[in-house]
Amino acid sequence: MEEKKGWFQKNSRLLLILCTFILSMISVSAKAATYDFDYQENQAGQYLTHGTAAGDTYNYDYGNAPGVEFDSENYVNYDDQAYLKKSVQEVAGNQGLFDVTLDVKGNQTNNAVDLVLVVDFSSSMTGEKLNNALLGLQQFGTELADSLANGSIRIGIVAYNRYVYSTNGFSTDIDYLEQFLRQTAESHSGTFMQKGLLEGERLLLEESRPEAEKLFIHIGDNSANRSYLPVEGATTYPNTGEITDYNGYHTQSYVKDFQTDNSAYHTTSSSSSDSLAIPVSTSVVTDATLGTIVAIKEAGFPMYSVATAPSSRGEYIGRNLATSSGNYLTIDENLVGLGSALTEIANKIDKTISNGTITDPMGTGILLQGAGSFDSDNYQLVGWRKDEQGTWVEAPDLVANVQVAEADQTITVSNLALGENERVTLTYQIRLDTEDSSFQGETWVLCNGRTTLVPEVDGEAVDFPIPSIKAPVVSINVLKKWVNVSAAEIPEQIEYQVQRMTTTSEQGWQISDPLTLSKEDDFQVTLSEVPVNGQQLVLPKYNNQGEDFSYTVTEINVPEDFESTVTNDGETIILTNTKKETEPSTTEPSTTEPSTTEPSTTEPSTTEPSTTEPSTTEP
């Protein structure tokens, strides 16, 4: 219908608020309560009370454990809203490595939902843009097909520019809705956003089912350029946080009551030829539009804003229209992304897991592989959907928007949207920290801390049962032998230390405290524990990378006249002390020859007498 006036009775709005509150209380009471799974903690370790062991893994006994409801595929069933499994298995051919798999299924909601699409249908809504809008509506209908078919979801449309057009109530017929956009709604200049918003509210107030949840979806750039005049003497409300600042825009105060039956209106155009147009500043139209948004939001139903390439002012209005930050979506100006945006909203409407988040912390003593740089190389995320034969086949679209992150060995999986016959699995790998001093061999260790799924924003968490793993230990035999030693020379005891090679952790021990082997015990012992820094520690079979540890022993303070060797005979480490043999002395006695020095035969010195010629001087 064209130009249907958006007048409302105050008691109608109050009645809607009351109904919404009552329905929300019913919805809360219907939420699935989590199961408190039973665990044992004793000498065997920590593990589920109702589980089954296989090798070094211990999983929940899906389908058989008492006190829990399961579906036909043995998933833990949370009131037909979420179905969960969590399991662990050993990786074949890779010692000490385990795969942990989270497995989640959703369902279709049975709640009645009436939703209205309020669409900016200004002069540019023609050609490609209109075609994209129709394609988006088709995708929306395809995503909601089952719910539209059974009538649980109905859709109404309001198209606005300077006029307003609306469907005849709500419909489940996508063809009718497309026909409305093609033939009934007309594109014109002017963006009277306030008029469109009020008509959308009227449709929800007056023509939706009383028992139905009500949803409001606005599509447009939010660039309002017209608004109603306030009612004379209307209450002015100071903005105390109802309208949030964005992009430098701020609203000081606002009104909520307007002259919707007055043909005169405010416009941001200073050159309008319409005699009914009253030029005002942009802020006046903005604040009037926001005042109406505040009033509509008081009804309590969820509101979405699909913003088409908004300006900074458009973003200010659009973000305040959305009832949560997650309800504000942006797409391109030509509406190419409208189908994806509406599909994202549809996931929140007819899927029991609408915006789910899994939180999965590692257990004590568990090493998440790839922690600190956890990316798609460290996990497998797969979406699944049942085909017509009921077989699970891969469905990449189900994980296209799913995000996997890790911090401090806690995995978070967010943006899960799963309906009927839809499923997501996440598989990652862990090891037991066998090099830590707290490691206890052959003892069950819980793979994780409390692991939960929150199916929707502000929903209640439901729990996964937590599997356990363990790792083997070894013992070493030590034997002392003496060679070339008389019984009287053998001491009552010796000291030695156990050494461990192939450690990978800086905190892992490499040499034990001193131990003793005694004559009383025939110098032999079997060790299953060794003292390290005063603490008795077991001997794990392999290190934190799955490589077998190499153990040996070294004697302390071997006497100088003994030679010590270490050999292995099967499972026994043999320390052998051999006394060094003393050779008899074969040194020749020292012989010194007598001196044979010749006597000195120095000739006597002979000096010739000095002869001096007399001096002769010429006269």
Side-chain angles (χ1 to χ4, degrees), residues 27 84 187 192 232 243 281-282 290 302 310 318-319 321 327 335 354 361 395 404 455 460 576 607:
S27 174
L84 309 181
S187 62
F192 209 145
E232 292 289 339
I243 301 171
S281 67
T282 301
L290 288 169
R319 284 192 177 276
L321 189 153
N327 288 6
L335 308 186
S354 58
V404 180
E460 294 183 4
T576 302
T607 304

Side-chain angles (χ1 to χ4, degrees), residues 175-253:
D175 290 338
Y176 161 71
L177 298 173
E178 287 187 30
Q179 196 74 4
F180 166 79
L181 289 177
R182 286 184 185 277
Q183 297 184 359
T184 304
E186 298 178 0
S187 62
H188 291 282
S189 62
T191 307
F192 209 145
M193 183 175 177
Q194 191 181 27
K195 183 182 287 189
L197 296 176
L198 288 170
E199 176 62 10
E201 184 190 36
R202 186 204 66 79
L203 209 61
L204 288 174
L205 274 171
E206 298 180 5
E207 302 194 39
S208 68
R209 294 165 289 183
E211 76 279 8
E213 181 183 357
K214 294 154 180 63
L215 270 70
F216 191 111
I217 303 171
H218 179 265
I219 303 168
D221 62 9
N222 305 306
S223 296
N225 58 26
R226 298 186 182 197
S227 65
Y228 288 114
L229 277 61
V231 169
E232 292 289 339
T235 301
T236 299
Y237 299 90
N239 180 16
T240 57
E242 299 83 6
I243 301 171
T244 304
D245 294 355
Y246 285 104
N247 299 329
Y249 288 90
H250 173 74
T251 295
Q252 189 70 29
S253 60

Side-chain angles (χ1 to χ4, degrees), residues 252-501:
Q252 189 70 29
S253 60
Y254 58 92
V255 299
K256 296 188 288 187
D257 299 312
F258 295 89
Q259 301 177 43
T260 56
D261 55 352
N262 190 340
S263 298
Y265 61 91
H266 286 153
T267 178
T268 60
S269 173
S270 59
S271 58
S272 175
S273 59
D274 188 348
S275 61
L276 297 174
I278 303 172
V280 294
S281 67
T282 301
S283 63
V284 171
V285 172
T286 299
D287 292 349
T289 304
L290 288 169
T292 293
I293 288 172
V294 171
I296 294 174
K297 288 169 81 170
E298 289 174 351
F301 40 74
M303 297 180 69
Y304 294 83
S305 175
V306 180
T308 58
S311 63
S312 57
R313 173 173 165 266
E315 183 180 13
Y316 175 50
I317 295 174
R319 284 192 177 276
N320 276 288
L321 189 153
T323 47
S324 71
S325 60
N327 288 6
Y328 178 78
L329 299 87
T330 58
I331 61 173
D332 59 290
E333 182 180 5
N334 289 323
L335 308 186
V336 174
L338 180 60
S340 297
L342 290 177
T343 296
E344 184 175 339
I345 296 173
N347 290 338
K348 301 179 181 181
I349 296 173
D350 74 335
K351 299 188 178 192
T352 55
I353 300 175
S354 58
N355 188 9
T357 299
I358 297 172
T359 304
D360 187 14
M362 299 304 106
T364 302
I366 298 296
L367 300 174
L368 172 64
Q369 302 303 284
S373 57
F374 196 72
D375 57 26
S376 57
D377 290 335
N378 303 114
Y379 63 82
Q380 287 184 311
L381 179 69
V382 184
W384 306 87
R385 184 178 284 113
K386 279 188 177 179
D387 62 15
E388 294 180 356
Q389 288 72 43
T391 302
W392 289 108
V393 295
E394 290 195 26
D397 60 292
L398 291 178
V399 294
N401 296 317
V402 175
Q403 296 180 348
V404 180
E406 178 269 334
D408 298 326
Q409 287 220 133
T410 295
I411 296 173
T412 303
V413 186
S414 56
N415 292 343
L416 287 168
L418 297 171
E420 188 175 15
N421 295 325
E422 294 177 342
R423 169 181 167 225
V424 163
T425 58
L426 175 75
T427 300
Y428 58 88
Q429 296 185 320
I430 61 172
R431 290 185 182 274
L432 258 175
D433 189 353
T434 58
E435 299 182 34
D436 188 79
S437 60
S438 63
F439 170 73
Q440 296 294 317
E442 298 294 347
T443 302
W444 294 116
V445 177
L446 292 172
C447 296
N448 306 91
R450 185 190 178 196
T451 304
T452 60
L453 165 72
V454 178
E456 58 188 355
V457 176
D458 299 326
E460 294 183 4
V462 292
D463 284 74
F464 291 81
I466 309 301
S468 299
I469 58 175
K470 62 183 176 67
V473 292
V474 297
S475 58
I476 56 176
N477 302 314
V478 181
L479 174 64
K480 176 68 177 179
K481 289 185 177 182
W482 304 87
V483 176
N484 200 25
V485 181
S486 66
E489 294 178 286
I490 297 176
E492 291 299 315
Q493 65 180 31
I494 66 156
E495 285 191 321
Y496 68 100
Q497 290 175 296
V498 176
Q499 290 181 296
R500 183 172 75 171
M501 277 70 78

Side-chain angles (χ1 to χ4, degrees), residues 433-439 472-474 476 497-513 528 530 532-533 537-544 547-554 573:
D433 189 353
T434 58
E435 299 182 34
D436 188 79
S437 60
S438 63
F439 170 73
V473 292
V474 297
I476 56 176
Q497 290 175 296
V498 176
Q499 290 181 296
R500 183 172 75 171
M501 277 70 78
T502 64
T503 56
T504 65
S505 169
E506 292 182 0
Q507 288 73 40
W509 67 270
Q510 295 182 355
I511 190 163
S512 73
D513 298 344
S528 57
V530 295
V532 178
N533 297 325
L537 303 184
V538 297
L539 304 174
K541 182 179 185 297
Y542 50 77
N543 64 19
N544 289 347
E547 302 168 316
D548 278 344
F549 278 120
S550 175
Y551 293 97
T552 189
V553 296
T554 303
I573 301 174

